[in-house]
Amino acid sequence: MHDARTVRAPSMLRLAAASLTGTAIEFYDFFVYGTAAALVLGPLFFPTFSPLAGTLAAFGTFGVGFVARPLGSVLFGHIGDRRGRRPVLVASLLLTGASTVSVGFVPSYDSIGMAAPVLLLVLRFLQGLGLGGEWGGAVLLTAEHAPAGRRALWSSFPQIGPAIGFLLANGVILALSASLTDAQFAQWGWRVPFWAAGALALGGLWLRSSLPESPRFLEIEEPARMPFAEVVRQHWRLVLLTAGALAVGYAVFYAVTTWSLAYGTERLGVSRTVMLTCVMAAVVVKGSLTPVMALLGDRCGRRALCLVGCTASALWMFPMVALLATGQPLLMFLGFTGALIAFITMFAVVAAYLPELYEPRLRCTGAAVGYNLGGVLGGALTPIVATALAEHSGRVPWAVGAYLTAIALLSLGCFALLPETRPVPMPVAEVEPVAG
């Protein structure tokens, strides 16, 4: 048995800042690939394909990262539930950082033929594997230190990390796009953000090296021997419900931040700089509102905010694609901002919500697997499906709006079947887990 009394409680601000920094770095790695896939990877690694097929193939390698994320959740969740949350943070950051840097060194199809997209695929898989472990470790370390009445607020700090990672990734690409010619950017400029990931990963490892272990983990008398097997046996229904519930968040986010970039530049003829600027401005609004929504989650409940966010997503998808189709920067920004506000209304509280649904001995595996399965359903397929649907649409891609609305309604039904958890504390023995 671990003795939690020997652990000194850290400053919540320091702990939250370290978790935020780590998730920002890892999501930087993930997003820089998504943006590159939307802008340049198709012609470089799939030059024998048509422009549409090349974009779909590039988005296919993007989707592989999402498929790998649940596997990463199982692998790193096992470590987190058996050995502690802290080792997960270090191992996942190392794997994701090394994979991202390596992408920047992969030769193009013209240099090594089919080996180029194969290497890209392998590295993308490893990148997703690492990110699949990152979320569970970072969120649990923060949530399990936080006071019950402010758990959603403190747990929302790692959820701000993706916004910062996205802004970092696209800020670098935007600066390169503005300073290089299209030929220079396609030849070597797109590689620079991948190389920069190495320095960011080293900084993240330094910040995380001094973090203490979670007090909830240290109180567990007998860690689960096979966490994933127990989660599947006891909580399969809960895992499927959370995956379905979170699918809309991933679908909306990647429709805005990945598919819209390809659609705007290829179909509408909007410049890469304008599209990146519109999306980045909307992400700034989303990141700024994250702690506000989390505070509402502490006050009004996690499930209530998730239901509101799902409903808003279902109502906003058709207006969003209509505003995107105008090609006007201000209107596109409005469409993106409305979608991301609906998204963060849900995702600001899920970092507290998902762990509260599981008992501590299975929490790292259960919460992370449900979270990342939602990524497969919503994030992996959305850029591919939306690109294919938009190809057969008119000026306004109504079919994409219908697809996103359908996912929102599916998620709304799943959230409706989940219980409320606020303001239940998270001691080891007192919280009865939701039955599978």
Side-chain angles (χ1 to χ4, degrees):
M1 174 181 176
H2 305 285
D3 187 1
R5 291 172 298 179
T6 63
V7 180
R8 185 177 176 183
S11 161
M12 279 308 303
L13 188 58
R14 178 172 64 88
L15 184 68
S19 294
L20 181 155
T21 302
T23 53
I25 292 168
E26 293 215 39
F27 276 91
Y28 165 89
D29 297 351
F30 208 71
F31 290 143
V32 79
Y33 189 99
T35 304
L39 299 178
V40 296
L41 294 188
L44 290 174
F45 289 89
F46 305 96
T48 60
F49 292 12
S50 67
L52 172 62
T55 300
L56 287 171
F59 280 149
T61 61
F62 177 71
V64 166
F66 283 99
V67 175
R69 283 173 65 168
L71 300 178
S73 300
V74 175
L75 171 63
F76 288 105
H78 183 90
I79 297 171
D81 285 325
R82 292 281 301 164
R83 303 296 178 189
R85 319 318 190 193
R86 188 173 172 271
V88 171
L89 299 183
V90 176
S92 63
L93 187 57
L94 277 172
L95 179 59
T96 309
S99 303
T100 304
V101 172
S102 298
V103 170
F105 290 99
V106 176
S108 67
Y109 184 94
D110 290 340
S111 300
I112 59 173
M114 278 302 297
V118 170
L119 282 172
L120 202 64
L121 199 69
V122 170
L123 291 171
R124 179 61 176 171
F125 180 86
L126 294 174
Q127 195 186 46
L129 203 68
L131 192 61
E134 160 65 26
W135 185 85
V139 162
L140 286 190
L141 202 62
T142 307
E144 292 183 336
H145 275 99
R150 285 290 180 265
R151 188 175 297 128
L153 174 62
W154 289 113
S155 299
S156 73
F157 276 74
Q159 295 295 80
I160 301 172
I164 295 175
F166 179 86
L167 293 172
L168 282 174
N170 288 279
V172 173
I173 290 178
L174 185 60
L176 290 166
S177 296
S179 58
L180 300 176
T181 65
D182 287 345
Q184 290 172 325
F185 185 81
Q187 184 176 12
W188 60 267
W190 69 271
R191 299 180 183 273
V192 174
F194 291 92
W195 297 336
L200 293 174
L202 290 176
L205 289 171
W206 176 76
L207 280 171
R208 289 183 165 184
S209 61
S210 61
L211 292 180
E213 185 51 80
S214 159
R216 292 288 178 255
F217 175 77
L218 295 174
E219 291 171 354
I220 298 173
E221 296 185 9
E222 187 178 349
R225 291 177 59 84
M226 298 294 293
F228 180 65
E230 290 193 41
V231 166
V232 171
R233 186 169 60 250
Q234 300 175 20
H235 304 299
W236 62 270
R237 180 175 178 271
L238 179 58
V239 170
L240 293 179
L241 281 176
T242 52
L246 299 180
V248 63
Y250 282 101
V252 169
F253 188 82
Y254 287 101
V256 170
T257 61
T258 301
W259 167 73
S260 69
L261 291 177
Y263 182 81
T265 54
E266 295 172 10
R267 288 289 300 275
L268 303 179
V270 180
S271 76
R272 184 166 56 220
T273 301
V274 169
M275 289 303 304
L276 284 172
T277 301
C278 291
V279 174
M280 288 172 65
V283 171
V284 169
V285 176
K286 168 247 177 191
S288 303
L289 289 176
T290 301
V292 177
M293 296 301 181
L295 277 171
L296 286 175
D298 277 324
R299 177 168 296 184
C300 304
R302 289 67 158 119
R303 179 174 172 271
L305 253 68
C306 290
L307 291 172
V308 169
C310 265
T311 303
S313 297
L315 294 173
W316 189 248
M317 292 303 97
F318 283 110
M320 185 195 79
V321 297
L323 292 168
L324 168 63
T326 66
Q328 299 299 313
L330 186 59
L331 295 178
M332 290 192 297
F333 164 72
L334 177 62
F336 297 155
T337 300
L340 292 185
I341 289 174
F343 159 82
I344 203 56
T345 302
M346 297 174 282
F347 271 56
V349 298
V350 297
Y353 193 18
L354 265 63
E356 289 169 343
L357 292 169
Y358 291 89
E359 58 189 299
R361 61 192 297 274
L362 301 175
R363 186 172 286 154
C364 195
T365 300
V369 169
Y371 185 85
N372 287 297
L373 276 178
V376 176
L377 295 174
L381 297 177
T382 292
I384 300 171
V385 173
T387 299
L389 291 174
E391 180 66 17
H392 301 290
S393 300
R395 171 75 180 185
V396 181
W398 296 119
V400 177
Y403 169 74
L404 294 172
T405 302
I407 295 178
L409 293 174
L410 168 68
S411 295
L412 184 64
C414 291
F415 272 124
L417 295 174
L418 289 171
E420 179 58 80
T421 58
R422 185 205 60 92
V424 180
M426 291 199 302
V428 173
E430 295 179 12
V431 179
E432 185 69 25
V434 177

